[in-house]
């Protein structure tokens, strides 16, 4: 694979296509937000390749339906569901504790779940809800599971992979990128910019984590990705920027279905071409250019320290 991001796949490639021929039978993965959309498709395709998939979900009823559909298609699939509300640090801690108690290995962590464009609300931990759910929940989850991933990588002699699903919308964040002193400022809250801020945080988190893992000599990579323009009940938000219905129609050719939308996630999580690549931003199954804030090393380090202070 070219270090500049070349691959044989494109924006129209599906998750099944980018993982064809890959044997994941020795791997265990956690996928958050797996009860619908690209999270459900990611879980299905990883399970198809033999990966033991743990779906971290808020809606256990929906997760049961997804699991049953996967097992109906792939009777030998290894799929489990565990309750996880990323807006609640208590729920994240409970999920991580239960997973660690299971003594399962962990090769792949896919931080996929997210919410979009909510009115101003605070989480139960008194953090603005989009920032709490999209960034802080995943930051804490990753932090709590990192020792398990390190142990798995060491014992299996296989590279661990952490994958943050973000959005090209990260470029539309507030001025300065992350408003550390105004995360909870209702008076200046703009729901779409707050969403973009949380998605920028996903990128910065992956970048800083990649730097730290490399510094520590740990065989785990961390990358972020934009799944594409996808029409699902969750991803309809890609058309929030004042586009009229005519504009939506004109952009229709660029839309991805769920199978295509899950492709880059599965590619970064499983494909051997991505071996050893860390701290990168992917789109359409290739390394892509990230917004300027997403390349800010100082901002990434500051966000790390800020996030650590919040989980403490």
């Amino acid at each position: 694979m070219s270090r500049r991001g070349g691959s044989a796949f494109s924006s129209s490639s599906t998750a099944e296509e980018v993982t064809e021929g890959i044997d994941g039978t020795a791997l265990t993965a956690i996928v958050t937000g797996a009860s619908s959309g690209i999270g459900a498709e990611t879980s299905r395709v990883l399970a198809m390749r033999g990966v033991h998939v743990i779906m971290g979900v808020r809606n256990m009823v929906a997760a049961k339906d997804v699991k049953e559909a996967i097992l109906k298609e792939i009777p030998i699939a290894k799929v489990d569901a565990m309750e996880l509300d990323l807006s609640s640090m208590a729920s994240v801690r409970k999920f991580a504790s239960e997973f660690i108690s299971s003594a399962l290995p962990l090769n792949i962590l896919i931080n996929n779940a997210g919410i979009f464009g909510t009115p101003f609300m605070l989480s139960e931990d008194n953090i603005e809800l989009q920032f709490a759910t999209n960034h802080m929940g995943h930051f804490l989850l990753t932090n709590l599971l990192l020792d398990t991933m390190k142990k798995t990588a060491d014992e299996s002699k296989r590279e661990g992979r952490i994958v943050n699903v973000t959005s090209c919308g990260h470029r539309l964040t507030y001025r300065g990128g992350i408003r550390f002193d105004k995360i909870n400022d209702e008076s200046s809250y703009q729901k779409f910019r707050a969403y973009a801020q949380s998605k920028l945080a996903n990128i910065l988190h992956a970048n800083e984590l990649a730097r730290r893992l490399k510094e520590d000599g740990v065989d785990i990579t961390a990358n972020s990705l934009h799944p594409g323009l996808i029409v699902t009940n969750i991803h309809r938000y890609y058309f929030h920027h004042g586009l009229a219905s005519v504009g939506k129609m004109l952009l229709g050719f660029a839309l991805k279905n769920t199978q295509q939308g899950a492709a880059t996630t599965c590619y970064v999580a499983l494909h051997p071409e991505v071996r050893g690549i860390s701290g990168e931003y992917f789109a359409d199954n290739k390394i892509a250019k990230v917004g300027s804030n997403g390349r800010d090393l100082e901002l990434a380090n500051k966000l790390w320290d800020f996030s650590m202070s919040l989980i403490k």
Side-chain angles (χ1 to χ4, degrees):
M1 178 180 181
S2 164
R3 288 288 162 169
R4 289 179 294 181
S7 85
F9 307 111
S10 68
S11 61
S12 61
S13 299
T14 66
E16 286 191 25
E17 288 170 348
V18 304
T19 58
E20 187 174 357
I22 296 175
D23 180 8
T25 49
L27 304 175
T28 302
I30 288 174
V31 182
T32 69
S35 60
S36 66
I38 62 174
E41 176 66 2
T42 296
S43 299
R44 183 186 75 84
V45 173
L46 292 184
M48 176 182 286
R49 303 308 175 209
V51 179
H52 182 185
V53 178
I54 312 297
M55 302 188 297
V57 296
R58 278 191 305 175
N59 188 335
M60 290 294 286
V61 175
K64 182 173 179 286
D65 292 341
V66 171
K67 178 180 176 178
E68 287 177 354
I70 292 173
L71 290 172
K72 185 176 181 180
E73 179 189 355
I74 315 156
I76 61 170
K78 293 173 286 185
V79 186
D80 294 295
M82 293 173 59
E83 190 169 5
L84 173 62
D85 180 355
L86 286 154
S87 72
S88 162
M89 290 194 195
S91 177
V92 173
R93 291 184 188 279
K94 182 173 182 287
F95 174 93
S97 176
E98 290 177 353
F99 180 82
I100 292 167
S101 295
S102 75
L104 284 168
L106 183 58
N107 306 88
I108 303 165
L109 173 59
I110 300 177
N111 293 319
N112 166 80
I115 59 172
F116 167 77
T118 60
F120 181 83
M121 288 182 276
L122 294 178
S123 71
E124 65 181 47
D125 303 295
N126 291 314
I127 302 169
E128 187 275 311
L129 192 62
Q130 292 190 87
F131 193 80
T133 305
N134 297 351
H135 168 61
M136 286 306 308
H138 285 127
F139 181 88
L140 176 59
L141 180 66
T142 304
N143 184 274
L144 293 172
L145 295 176
L146 203 51
D147 282 345
T148 300
M149 292 197 72
K150 288 177 180 179
K151 181 182 177 185
T152 301
D154 183 57
E155 292 179 352
S156 68
K157 306 304 178 189
R158 296 188 68 161
E159 174 185 87
R161 296 187 184 183
I162 297 168
V163 182
N164 284 359
V165 179
T166 180
S167 166
C168 64
H170 71 272
R171 294 175 173 84
L172 302 172
T173 186
Y174 298 105
R175 184 183 298 274
I178 308 289
R179 304 197 312 167
F180 297 103
D181 58 340
K182 291 186 176 182
I183 291 292
N184 291 349
D185 184 8
E186 183 175 3
S187 65
S188 60
Y189 178 77
Q190 298 177 55
K191 60 185 180 180
F192 300 135
R193 292 201 184 280
Y195 168 76
Q197 174 179 248
S198 71
K199 293 287 99 180
L200 171 62
N202 293 154
I203 296 169
L204 295 172
H205 170 218
N207 292 354
E208 179 64 12
L209 181 58
R211 187 189 69 78
R212 289 168 182 256
L213 291 168
K214 183 178 180 181
E215 194 174 78
D216 293 342
V218 178
D219 192 18
I220 300 173
T221 62
N223 292 290
S224 59
L225 65 94
H226 167 56
L229 303 174
I230 307 157
V231 177
T232 71
N233 60 331
I234 282 179
H235 292 101
R236 63 182 182 273
Y237 50 71
Y238 286 114
F239 292 113
H240 67 256
H241 306 299
L243 291 176
S245 57
V246 173
K248 293 181 188 179
M249 290 171 62
L250 291 173
L251 281 174
F253 72 92
L255 300 182
K256 291 185 178 185
N257 58 34
T258 305
Q259 292 75 26
Q260 294 166 330
T264 305
T265 302
C266 291
Y267 176 73
V268 176
L270 213 56
H271 206 286
E273 282 182 352
V274 190
R275 166 84 189 162
I277 296 175
S278 194
E280 295 287 356
Y281 170 78
F282 287 76
D284 297 335
N285 306 296
K286 296 176 177 65
I287 294 174
K289 187 174 181 180
V290 71
S292 58
N293 283 318
R295 300 190 298 271
D296 191 326
L297 302 180
E298 185 178 338
L299 188 63
N301 186 59
K302 187 175 180 181
L303 174 65
W304 184 279
D305 290 343
F306 180 75
S307 303
M308 287 299 293
S309 71
L310 288 180
I311 66 173
K312 288 176 182 176

